[in-house]
Amino acid sequence: MISGSGQRRPDGTPVAGVDVGGGGCRVRVAWPGGSAEGAGEGVRVRGAGIDVDEVAAAVAAVLGRLRAQGAPAPGAVGLGMTGLLTLADRPGGLHAALRERLGVARTVVAPDAVTALVGALGGLVPGAVVAAGTGAIALGTDGRGAWRRVDGWGHLLGDDGAGSWVGQAGLRAAFRAHDGRPRGSARLLELARARYGAPEDLPRALYPAPDRAARLAAFAPDVALAAREGDPVAAAVWRGAGERLAEALLAAVPPGVPDPALSRTGGLFAAGGLLLEPLAAALAAAGAPPLRAPRGGPLDGAVLLARDGAEAGPAA
């Protein structure tokens, strides 16, 4: 889940944290008394997958700009990347590519779910984090090398409680109202018309779309609006999302962790109490510890991995 390479650096060495996703890469250089941030190109999936040399080049470009602005050269880099385990052409080769491009002595590479966990919990401590945006995934660790991943299977097979799930549930309720079936919502139908146009045209536009999950998730804010207006069907959708995310979070805790730290991250939690309240209620009903507010995000987690290093594990 996490792989490290190179020699450990002494405390006080400038480090760089990197968060690489489809929308871009973010880089933070941190040193005693200061930090600097920059952004660059994200991952691009080609026929052979994600080219790790391209990733390293994008990181090097951002670091070059930061150094030109006065940031020191990092001696260690921690990187979290989407698709590392499933789409990268040579996951283990990312260490060599980074060292060659950056001249660093220590690299720590992990999936972005790991940096999200480390950032939210403030370190590699026993517990679990659920990340919810367009998709949803939960990740847990005992802090000693055992990891559990739950969901993250995409909107057709999983991502229960994610933005795509909320949007799809809201649209299903809208179409039930359109048909005159029970458990429909006239308000959601009205909002669906405003966003997508005539219901009869939506299947043709949605089903072949390569970004279908994102289009479904785009309706989640409308479902939130309807719930805040008092629509009971929309409120039930958010309640179901919170319960499903709680299930994933609890399932991600490895066996034998007696008092796990539990937290969350991701853009869907901008819904606030609509999502957090049923999530907290489901955890309480299961006798689990209360949900902690995240201490940081994935970029913070990448910086922590770079600063503290990680025990060598299976190659990423």
Side-chain angles (χ1 to χ4, degrees):
M1 192 66 72
I2 299 176
S3 64
S5 181
Q7 299 298 313
R8 295 187 182 277
R9 298 300 299 258
D11 292 342
T13 298
V15 299
V18 184
D19 179 38
V20 184
C25 73
R26 297 182 300 149
V27 179
R28 179 188 301 157
V29 179
W31 62 93
S35 65
E37 291 190 20
E41 293 184 3
V43 299
R44 288 181 288 182
V45 182
R46 306 185 188 279
I50 299 170
D51 186 332
V52 298
D53 291 317
E54 281 191 359
V55 173
V59 174
V62 179
L63 279 173
R65 291 194 293 271
L66 292 177
R67 290 199 63 189
Q69 297 167 11
V77 171
L79 181 145
M81 189 177 87
T82 185
L84 178 67
L85 299 179
T86 56
L87 295 174
D89 61 346
R90 294 171 289 114
L94 192 50
H95 292 291
L98 288 170
R99 289 199 303 273
E100 180 180 350
R101 294 271 186 176
L102 308 179
V104 293
R106 172 75 176 166
T107 53
V108 182
V109 173
D112 56 348
V114 172
T115 50
L117 178 145
V118 174
L121 298 183
L124 201 58
V125 299
V129 169
V130 62
T134 297
I137 187 171
L139 189 70
T141 179
D142 64 357
R144 301 187 303 273
W147 293 87
R148 285 178 67 91
R149 164 193 158 158
V150 175
D151 210 343
W153 301 120
H155 71 287
L156 293 179
L157 301 177
D159 285 354
D160 288 356
S164 57
W165 185 94
V166 170
Q168 184 179 43
L171 286 171
R172 286 179 177 273
F175 274 75
R176 286 196 297 269
H178 178 269
D179 294 342
R181 289 180 284 154
R183 298 182 304 282
S185 166
R187 178 56 174 147
L188 289 175
L189 176 58
E190 179 184 7
L191 292 168
R193 287 183 185 275
R195 180 173 293 276
Y196 299 105
E200 293 82 1
D201 296 334
L202 184 55
R204 185 167 58 252
L206 184 62
Y207 290 156
D211 60 343
R212 183 170 54 235
R215 293 194 185 194
L216 290 170
F219 195 56
D222 298 294
V223 183
L225 174 62
R228 293 190 177 101
E229 291 174 345
D231 184 277
V233 175
V237 170
W238 284 102
R239 191 160 54 249
E243 291 167 355
R244 283 161 174 80
L245 292 176
E247 290 171 354
L249 182 60
L250 292 174
V253 178
V257 178
D259 188 26
L262 303 177
S263 191
R264 43 82 180 180
T265 188
L268 193 65
F269 289 100
L274 287 175
L275 185 58
L276 287 171
E277 289 176 8
L279 172 56
L283 293 178
L291 194 69
R292 301 183 182 184
R295 298 185 63 178
L299 188 57
D300 300 291
V303 171
L304 285 172
L305 287 182
R307 180 176 292 137
D308 300 334
E311 293 298 324

